[in-house]
Amino acid sequence: MGEKKGTVIGEALTLAALVAYQDGTVASRTLIDKQVGTVTVFAFDEGQGLSEHTVPYDAFVQILDGEAEITIAGEPHHLSAGQMIIMPANKPHLLRAVKQFKMLLVMIRS
């Protein structure tokens, strides 16, 4: 089928295989980037994370592999492969890799 921004459209893919772990960093691959929202796959090396921040819209996170701690408004949540969480709009949140982990992030802006 067609291609757009490096993603194959109309082909079955394995999400966790779309981004590889990289030593000491966070890697990502954006699958959809539209005005109304984005879909991105991330790979976090152990100990890596995203510092506390807020966004003006809800964000859906599904853990694809490994283990993460996601803190929302000061409350930590330990998630592992197969689990998901919704981070509500305008609430501070941060992510940390307990072990290497991969996640799917879906943000809907409107």
Side-chain angles (χ1 to χ4, degrees), residues 12-18:
L13 302 168
T14 302
L15 285 173
L18 294 178

Side-chain angles (χ1 to χ4, degrees), residues 15 60-64 82-85 102-105:
L15 285 173
F60 168 92
V61 171
Q62 180 176 359
I63 306 301
L64 305 172
Q83 293 184 304
M84 58 78 61
I85 195 165
K102 293 182 182 182
M103 73 177 197
L104 174 68
L105 173 67

Side-chain angles (χ1 to χ4, degrees), residues 73-85:
E75 184 179 344
H77 304 272
H78 189 92
L79 290 91
S80 57
Q83 293 184 304
M84 58 78 61
I85 195 165

Side-chain angles (χ1 to χ4, degrees), residues 15 18-19 27-31 39-43 64 103-105:
L15 285 173
L18 294 178
V19 64
S28 67
R29 181 173 179 184
T30 300
L31 305 176
V39 176
T40 307
V41 180
F42 287 86
L64 305 172
M103 73 177 197
L104 174 68
L105 173 67

Side-chain angles (χ1 to χ4, degrees), residues 52-74:
E52 187 173 71
H53 62 284
T54 60
V55 293
Y57 34 82
D58 292 338
F60 168 92
V61 171
Q62 180 176 359
I63 306 301
L64 305 172
D65 181 47
E67 294 181 35
E69 184 175 271
I70 298 176
T71 302
I72 302 170

Side-chain angles (χ1 to χ4, degrees), residues 90-108:
N90 302 310
K91 297 283 185 185
H93 57 270
L94 62 92
L95 295 87
R96 182 181 65 83
V98 175
K99 296 181 180 177
Q100 285 185 325
F101 83 97
K102 293 182 182 182
M103 73 177 197
L104 174 68
L105 173 67
V106 179
M107 292 189 294
I108 306 298

